[in-house]
Amino acid sequence: MTTKVIYLPLDERPCNYLYPQQLAAMTDLTMVAPPPELLGRKKERADLEGVGVWLKEQCRDADVLIVSLDMLVHGGIVPSRLHHETVESCQRRLDLLRTLKSMNPRLAIYGFNLITRVPAYSSSEEEPEYYDAVGREIYELGWLTDKSGSVGLTEEEQLRLNEVLAAIPGQVLEDYRTRRSVNSAVNGMALDLVEAGVVDYLVIPLDDNSQYGFSAMEQRALTVRAELAGLSDRVAIYPGADEIGCTLFARVFCAAKGFTPALFVRYSSTKGPLCIPKYEDRSLNESIKAHLTSAGAVIADTSAEADAILMVHSPAVGQSEMAETGTALPDRHRSYFSEINTREFVQAMKYYLDAGGLVMLADVALCNGADHLLMKLIHQRGLLGRLEGYAAWNTSGNSLGTVIAHAVIESYYRRLPAESEDERRLGSRRFYISRLIEDWGYQALVRQKVCEESLPGLGASYFALSHAIEEVCARIEAELNRFAEEYLSGQVADRLKVQSVSLPWRRMFEVAFAIETGGVH
């Protein structure tokens, strides 16, 4: 009898809505997600009443519910940063989980709820309108307040804290603190649900966080509470966000199969494991351990005993010194040229492949996309078609969670006889190919090219292109097909076409598309 998994995503973007469904389609588990019309769009929240009705209908005979509490309570990730809800209204919506458990006592509930992010820049693209004026100051206020209470401030930092407090209007600060307080209360109520046995496993991801700040303070308080309550085996708190649906599906898969995969982790830089990636608060190796644990996996002691090899292309520096995909090569930190050995990394990759290993690549040396230099080298060595999984999108945590979830699934099926594998394997290969097209082709190459060469002539910009959306999508589609023809055709597929390109939030950050393939390799 197949396991029925109900999935309520964080929002409607492909990374949250489609990726977990695509992973589920590689397995014999069944995943059911809400129809897109129930979900919101960016700042427009979901139909919460409709979502509640849908959950009651679907969970009556389900085995597992993977649920975003941000969606359940606020209607999505961005609405969770904009709401004016009371703690009481949030509690009423969370109580639906108690109802679902009462209706179906065998229902296992895997929940996740973000610690509200504090971006280090001034933009209201995904935040309240006042973030245009004082977003950076709100970030600095959190950073300096936390640092003051933990290790103390220098005289210069104390002066800056005074300036920041003077720059943020009182009503703005009150609005911000009130919303954070409500969201923090929701995380507290989520822990209550774990203690009560309603939620079986809870991830509290740190979204766009840093070493100090409002998020760091909340994380420490939640961690202490979870530890004192004896919940550390059922509650995980670590950097992440949009990949958690994938991670929790991998955990559900492992539980359904009674499977604990062991992944061997191999870095491109000796310093890589100790670097703290940009937008995160802890060393890369500690984050990897957290992602693996939540996905139901462990780190293998040796490559020979591993179920899969996780090749981690890592930076040798962290935080603000870490390069973005758009950083020109000469402008990268000097450690990219002295403390990362991509040639040895690719040679090791070939060795593991030649030995019959299942090899997955987490390309996290840069933020927001692939390292084109590494990927060209892999292409030149003819290895693209031999890898089984890849991710390089957005933050380090986003990439790690996605490729680890894929590795968990593939490592299970690698152990089984190959009969009747064609359809399942095709889904897995299409997911891998899609990651190459989006994370390497779009994020590292096409996005910047279209922004520089096409948007100005259309009177458009990165966040303002609704009036030219069809022309922009057509140019993206053409460029992605050129990329696929140059780098992917022949090595990963005999014939490959990118089509139906769209921009889900009418900006250049995310892209959606479909692919048509001939024989995949």
Side-chain angles (χ1 to χ4, degrees):
M1 184 175 179
T2 187
T3 300
K4 181 182 178 182
V5 181
I6 308 304
Y7 174 55
L8 184 66
L10 180 57
D11 64 35
E12 76 286 359
R13 289 173 297 164
C15 57
N16 286 309
Y17 186 69
L18 289 181
Y19 292 6
Q21 294 186 72
Q22 291 167 341
L23 291 173
M26 303 173 200
T27 75
D28 57 358
L29 279 63
T30 299
M31 178 177 280
V32 182
E37 57 267 22
L38 276 183
L39 305 179
R41 181 172 180 178
K42 200 178 177 181
K43 291 187 175 183
E44 177 186 341
R45 78 179 191 182
D47 175 1
L48 293 179
E49 183 176 346
V51 165
V53 170
W54 180 83
L55 283 172
K56 289 179 181 178
E57 291 174 349
Q58 295 296 331
C59 288
R60 291 184 186 277
D61 64 345
D63 300 291
V64 180
L65 169 63
I66 299 174
V67 55
S68 162
L69 305 188
D70 288 290
M71 173 60 77
L72 181 67
V73 172
H74 297 302
I77 184 172
V78 176
S80 76
R81 305 168 187 157
L82 306 173
H83 70 85
H84 292 93
E85 299 286 347
T86 64
V87 171
E88 292 72 25
S89 66
C90 295
Q91 178 72 74
R92 285 194 296 272
R93 291 178 188 140
L94 274 182
D95 282 344
L96 176 61
L97 297 181
R98 296 180 186 271
T99 301
L100 297 177
K101 197 83 164 190
S102 176
M103 289 168 44
N104 180 1
R106 69 182 178 85
L107 181 71
I109 299 179
Y110 293 65
F112 62 107
N113 193 68
L114 309 186
I115 292 179
T116 305
R117 77 173 190 170
V118 190
Y121 50 82
S122 294
S123 169
S124 64
E125 174 67 15
E126 298 181 32
E127 316 295 332
E129 293 302 317
Y130 53 70
Y131 250 77
D132 280 335
V134 292
R136 174 68 189 182
E137 285 75 11
I138 290 173
Y139 167 81
E140 289 186 81
L141 174 63
W143 174 280
L144 294 168
T145 301
D146 186 18
K147 190 169 186 286
S148 175
S150 53
V151 298
L153 300 179
T154 65
E155 183 176 341
E156 183 180 355
E157 288 172 331
Q158 184 60 55
L159 288 172
R160 180 55 185 163
L161 176 57
N162 296 338
E163 293 172 354
V164 164
L165 281 168
I168 304 173
Q171 67 272 24
V172 166
L173 190 55
E174 181 181 0
D175 175 84
Y176 181 78
R177 288 189 183 278
T178 299
R179 186 176 299 106
R180 281 205 74 91
S181 176
V182 171
N183 290 355
S184 179
V186 171
N187 272 322
M189 290 185 281
L191 290 179
D192 292 339
L193 292 172
V194 177
E195 286 192 90
V198 175
V199 172
D200 297 88
Y201 190 79
L202 175 69
V203 177
I204 301 178
L206 293 149
D207 182 18
D208 279 12
N209 66 306
S210 55
Q211 188 175 6
Y212 297 107
F214 291 119
S215 294
M217 288 188 278
E218 184 174 344
Q219 175 226 331
R220 289 195 294 275
L222 289 167
T223 300
V224 169
R225 180 183 163 186
E227 291 289 346
L228 292 176
L231 302 177
S232 57
D233 62 329
R234 290 182 285 156
V235 175
I237 306 173
Y238 60 91
D242 297 311
E243 81 292 341
I244 301 296
C246 297
T247 300
L248 287 180
F249 177 75
R251 187 178 187 87
V252 168
F253 178 81
C254 286
K257 300 299 182 183
F259 178 52
T260 304
L263 275 63
F264 181 72
V265 182
R266 177 67 149 76
Y267 293 91
S268 62
S269 171
T270 304
K271 293 185 176 182
L274 300 180
C275 290
I276 300 177
K278 190 182 288 189
Y279 311 119
E280 300 189 2
D281 72 334
R282 66 198 66 188
S283 66
L284 179 57
N285 200 56
E286 286 303 321
S287 285
I288 288 174
K289 286 157 63 176
H291 284 280
L292 285 168
T293 303
S294 282
V298 297
I299 294 180
D301 293 327
T302 67
S303 60
E305 70 178 27
D307 295 294
I309 310 293
L310 182 64
M311 304 293 295
V312 180
H313 180 40
S314 57
V317 288
Q319 299 290 20
S320 60
E321 292 179 314
M322 203 173 157
E324 300 270 348
T325 51
T327 304
L329 186 60
D331 296 333
R332 290 187 188 182
H333 188 274
R334 65 180 61 194
S335 66
Y336 280 92
F337 308 99
S338 58
E339 293 289 345
I340 302 174
N341 194 323
T342 54
R343 288 181 296 279
E344 187 276 341
F345 186 64
V346 174
Q347 184 165 307
M349 188 182 297
K350 183 178 185 301
Y351 171 82
Y352 294 131
L353 288 166
D354 288 346
L358 175 68
V359 181
M360 304 285 205
L361 173 58
D363 183 1
V364 296
L366 310 178
C367 289
N368 291 308
D371 184 348
H372 184 52
L373 296 180
L374 170 71
M375 298 309 292
K376 282 199 302 182
L377 182 57
I378 294 172
H379 173 263
Q380 290 165 2
R381 294 293 300 272
L383 301 179
L384 280 179
R386 301 177 64 187
L387 296 176
E388 294 290 344
Y390 176 76
W393 63 286
N394 295 7
T395 67
S396 174
N398 293 153
S399 296
L400 289 169
T402 304
V403 75
I404 287 171
H406 193 184
V408 164
I409 293 168
E410 283 308 293
S411 63
Y412 174 80
Y413 286 103
R414 174 66 73 96
R415 299 154 59 100
L416 301 181
E419 293 87 359
S420 304
E421 265 279 276
D422 289 351
E423 185 175 347
R424 194 210 67 78
R425 178 166 168 74
L426 178 60
S428 178
R429 295 301 286 175
R430 287 174 66 88
F431 188 76
Y432 167 57
I433 293 168
S434 294
R435 300 279 53 74
L436 291 173
I437 291 171
E438 181 170 354
D439 305 1
W440 178 16
Y442 182 71
Q443 293 201 19
L445 303 174
V446 171
R447 178 167 57 192
Q448 185 172 354
K449 182 176 183 181
V450 171
C451 284
E452 293 175 353
E453 299 180 5
S454 299
L455 295 189
L458 295 169
S461 62
Y462 196 96
F463 293 115
L465 44 72
S466 293
H467 66 284
I469 195 77
E470 292 183 4
E471 295 94 330
V472 174
C473 288
R475 295 189 187 189
I476 292 171
E477 186 170 305
E479 291 297 334
L480 287 179
N481 277 300
R482 289 190 190 95
F483 163 81
E485 178 62 29
E486 181 174 0
Y487 292 108
L488 308 184
S489 293
Q491 280 204 34
V492 300
D494 294 330
R495 185 183 71 257
L496 183 58
K497 182 179 181 182
V498 181
Q499 53 196 12
S500 304
V501 168
S502 64
L503 298 169
W505 280 3
R506 292 181 172 265
R507 62 185 190 181
M508 292 297 292
F509 194 66
E510 308 91 351
V511 69
F513 55 87
I515 59 172
E516 179 184 305
T517 59
V520 295
H521 300 169

